[in-house]
Amino acid sequence: SRYGGQNPVAVNPVSGDIALGSQGGLDWGPYVAYPRLALEVSANETVKRLAYSAYGTRLAALTDAGRVIVWETASGAEVFRPDKATAW
């Protein structure tokens, strides 16, 4: 299993969907055992932090390489992936 140790978890404030981060990606959906979507970050990276937007329309992941990746929760489409996370 790719889950073990301390994996980041986030709960969508609107739908209640659960996002669970791991090595190489994350899963999210109403039930983590049967995720709606499985998303890749990179085989060499681990998701360290997860956060939903206030209205639950976006999901952001921070990797151990310092990258931030953002997806639309309705479609799973990636909307933001810079080479490195920067301070805003």
Side-chain angles (χ1 to χ4, degrees):
S1 169
R2 67 185 196 171
Y3 301 111
Q6 296 179 352
N7 296 87
V9 174
V11 177
N12 186 310
V14 176
S15 70
D17 283 358
I18 298 169
L20 178 63
S22 67
Q23 171 72 35
L26 61 102
D27 295 329
W28 95 68
Y31 305 101
V32 175
Y34 302 101
R36 178 182 310 140
L37 292 169
L39 304 171
E40 289 186 21
V41 292
S42 171
N44 300 332
E45 294 178 65
T46 299
V47 175
K48 299 306 256 180
R49 301 280 188 267
L50 291 170
Y52 279 99
S53 63
Y55 295 105
T57 58
R58 305 274 167 113
L59 175 64
L62 172 67
T63 72
D64 59 351
R67 292 188 318 139
V68 174
I69 305 162
V70 180
W71 296 269
E72 282 186 351
T73 56
S75 66
E78 192 174 286
V79 294
F80 184 75
R81 183 190 285 243
D83 289 335
K84 272 289 204 195
T86 57
W88 294 357

